Amino acid sequence: MARGTQLSALVDALRAEIVASTNVSMGVNSLPALHHILNRTQSWLWEKFDWPFAYIERDEPMVNGERYYGFDPEIDFGRITESHVKYSDSWRKLEYGIGTEQYNSSDIADGDKEDPPTRWRHYEGNQFEVWPTPSSNECVVRFKAIKKLPKMINGSDVALLDDNLIVLFAAAELLSRAKSQDAQGKMSAANELFTKLKGSGIKNDVFTLGGGLPSNQGSFLNGARITPSTRV
């Protein structure tokens, strides 16, 4: 099992998994088709779980009088998990949501500006807005998010997820299309590996199969995780 495997190696592995049971006339040995299913499979797996190694942090310097900014191109702005603003050498939480209440108290349209911003929201495409509008160039906004998954195009492009995981799920789909008896076995192996990798990715978290919460202490749901509560 490995991450960082080249697309060409993934194709070879996928062919090895399906060659004994797949009818060539179905076109599954077509290189573009194999590239497509490997990319789609990795993309699906990327969306199914917040992989710990997939997180990135990106900073955006604030500009005096500017309320709108563009997200860093590597950030998946639909999967932002944390947002903070640095002001006077201190990081502070940046809350989500800007509405009428905020604009009534401070609106750049009326010439209002103030440091530091305390809230943000998505704005038209890959932009975001901060509130209140900064009154200096001294603040920095930081987002923590899952990064966008790059598409594998050339044979030397590498996968970001485990190679066996991608290949097993892709093979299960192709074998199912071919009505092969091997399909269910591949799917079972793929799901078992998926569960194992997710479990190893959530370190030091207590979880119960079936969705139950730990009963020995208070807990709260934090995304895909169950985190012990610090409240007494």
Side-chain angles (χ1 to χ4, degrees), residues 14 34-48 149 152 161-174 177 190:
L14 180 55
L34 295 181
H35 283 184
H36 172 74
I37 193 171
L38 287 166
N39 272 291
R40 178 165 53 76
T41 300
Q42 179 175 229
S43 179
W44 175 75
L45 290 165
W46 192 257
E47 293 290 336
K48 289 287 286 183
L149 178 68
M152 297 179 290
L161 292 181
D162 181 86
D163 49 8
N164 286 338
L165 184 67
I166 298 169
V167 168
L168 283 172
F169 272 111
E173 179 179 339
L174 291 175
R177 291 182 192 176

Side-chain angles (χ1 to χ4, degrees), residues 4 7 15 27 37 56 62-63 68-69 78 81 84 100 114 119-120 132 134 137 144 169 179 181 206 209 228:
L7 177 58
R15 282 176 167 156
I37 193 171
I56 57 174
M62 297 291 96
V63 178
Y68 302 118
Y69 302 84
T81 59
H84 293 84
T100 303
E114 182 182 348
R119 304 185 74 88
W120 76 281
N137 300 331
K144 180 179 180 180
F169 272 111
K179 302 187 185 305
Q181 294 181 350
V206 179
L209 293 179

Side-chain angles (χ1 to χ4, degrees), residues 36-205:
H36 172 74
I37 193 171
L38 287 166
N39 272 291
R40 178 165 53 76
T41 300
Q42 179 175 229
S43 179
W44 175 75
L45 290 165
W46 192 257
E47 293 290 336
K48 289 287 286 183
F49 182 66
D50 290 344
W51 303 96
F53 53 80
Y55 283 98
I56 57 174
E57 292 182 345
R58 294 292 183 269
D59 293 349
E60 184 66 35
M62 297 291 96
V63 178
N64 184 2
E66 179 58 56
R67 66 195 288 191
Y68 302 118
Y69 302 84
F71 285 106
D72 183 277
E74 286 192 297
I75 277 187
D76 183 341
F77 53 80
R79 300 177 74 181
I80 292 173
T81 59
E82 295 181 19
S83 52
H84 293 84
V85 59
K86 187 176 184 180
Y87 177 64
S88 296
D89 295 323
S90 177
W91 288 100
R92 311 164 187 216
K93 186 174 179 57
L94 197 63
E95 300 290 345
Y96 187 83
I98 303 172
T100 303
E101 180 181 354
Q102 284 73 43
Y103 292 130
N104 283 340
S105 63
S106 179
D107 192 343
I108 187 60
D110 299 325
D112 299 329
K113 297 187 296 182
E114 182 182 348
D115 280 343
T118 58
R119 304 185 74 88
W120 76 281
R121 71 178 180 102
H122 291 87
Y123 178 79
E124 295 187 3
N126 66 340
Q127 292 183 294
F128 66 94
E129 176 185 4
V130 296
W131 178 94
T133 301
S135 59
S136 73
N137 300 331
E138 301 302 316
C139 300
V140 175
V141 165
R142 172 174 293 173
F143 291 114
K144 180 179 180 180
I146 297 293
K147 72 176 181 179
K148 291 180 180 178
L149 178 68
K151 185 176 182 179
M152 297 179 290
I153 299 175
N154 302 310
S156 59
D157 293 342
V158 299
L160 298 190
L161 292 181
D162 181 86
D163 49 8
N164 286 338
L165 184 67
I166 298 169
V167 168
L168 283 172
F169 272 111
E173 179 179 339
L174 291 175
L175 291 170
S176 179
R177 291 182 192 176
K179 302 187 185 305
S180 168
Q181 294 181 350
D182 293 337
Q184 186 57 49
K186 296 296 183 191
M187 182 58 72
S188 296
N191 282 319
E192 182 178 347
L193 180 57
F194 191 25
T195 299
K196 177 181 178 181
L197 291 174
K198 287 191 297 181
S200 64
I202 306 177
K203 300 184 185 301
N204 301 320
D205 288 354

